[in-house]
Amino acid sequence: METNQANVEQKLALKMRRGFLVRQTLLRILGVAITLTAIGLMVTSKQTLEIFTIKFYAKYNYSPAFKYFVGANIVAVIMSMLSLLLHCVYRHPPYYAVFVSDFIATVLGVSGFAAASAIGYLGRYGNTHTYWNPICDTMDKFCKRVTISLILSGVGLIISVILTLWSAFRISTKGKVPVSM
């Protein structure tokens, strides 16, 4: 009777571990896809405005903060893909390496998001104390693409934080998933 109970518990634990792995893998793929979409939107955000034969251009690469946003998110995607690869290649992945990779992806994503958000705020509202006028009144297409890119990046960051917390949890439980999850 005890061996039958032990087999049932072992099968349940294996089923929970597989379900946890599937959920985590799907969340990683979703986070990478959302972040890649945010990068694509930022890289393709540009607008030209002509006033009395004078052309004004707005492009993401005119701002160092937007370039940093793209670079940091590219590295974050690479780190997330590394974590995904570790999960797919190893039956029991090195959880500390997964945690470090997730943590680096999260920190880089947050720093890029913060830098781009600060410049985006200046673009939308300006700064009257320094006489920086807002440009989003005239460059609305450019500003909308940047805003959508930042929103998608924020969603990707939420996913990245959840994955980092899960990785930390896996380290603290030494890779075991409790049955109640």
Side-chain angles (χ1 to χ4, degrees):
M1 182 71 177
E2 287 183 23
T3 57
N4 193 22
Q5 178 72 16
N7 284 341
V8 169
E9 287 179 6
Q10 188 177 20
K11 286 181 182 179
L12 183 61
L14 181 63
K15 189 176 181 180
M16 292 299 293
R17 198 172 307 126
R18 282 187 189 149
F20 187 78
L21 182 63
V22 167
R23 285 190 302 267
Q24 198 170 33
T25 302
L26 290 175
L27 204 55
R28 286 181 191 285
I29 292 169
L30 180 64
V32 166
I34 288 172
T35 306
L36 284 174
T37 304
I39 292 168
L41 280 170
M42 182 63 80
V43 169
T44 59
S45 60
K46 60 184 172 185
Q47 186 175 354
T48 304
L49 180 68
E50 189 173 337
I51 301 175
F52 301 118
T53 68
I54 299 172
K55 290 186 178 181
F56 297 95
Y57 301 98
K59 293 183 181 180
Y60 96 97
N61 58 346
Y62 289 170
S63 168
F66 290 160
K67 285 195 257 183
Y68 178 74
F69 171 83
V70 170
N73 277 314
I74 288 172
V75 175
V77 164
I78 291 169
M79 297 306 288
S80 295
M81 299 278 282
L82 176 66
S83 293
L84 183 61
L85 183 69
L86 289 172
H87 271 285
C88 292
V89 170
Y90 293 103
R91 182 176 176 165
H92 297 288
Y95 295 112
Y96 187 73
V98 172
F99 169 73
V100 169
S101 179
D102 287 343
F103 185 73
I104 290 171
T106 302
V107 169
L108 281 173
V110 166
S111 66
F113 179 79
S117 295
I119 295 302
Y121 182 86
L122 281 175
R124 175 142 332 258
Y125 300 108
N127 186 335
T128 57
H129 299 292
T130 58
Y131 302 105
W132 290 343
N133 295 323
I135 66 160
C136 288
D137 299 338
T138 55
M139 300 287 190
D140 58 334
K141 178 184 166 192
F142 172 77
C143 288
K144 285 177 184 175
R145 289 184 76 85
V146 168
T147 301
I148 294 169
S149 175
L150 287 171
I151 289 168
L152 288 174
S153 178
V155 172
L157 279 173
I158 291 169
I159 292 172
S160 185
V161 167
I162 290 168
L163 289 169
T164 302
L165 292 174
W166 270 357
S167 297
F169 173 75
R170 294 295 288 234
I171 290 173
S172 69
T173 60
K174 297 184 183 5
K176 298 176 186 168
V177 178
V179 177
S180 63
M181 274 189 87

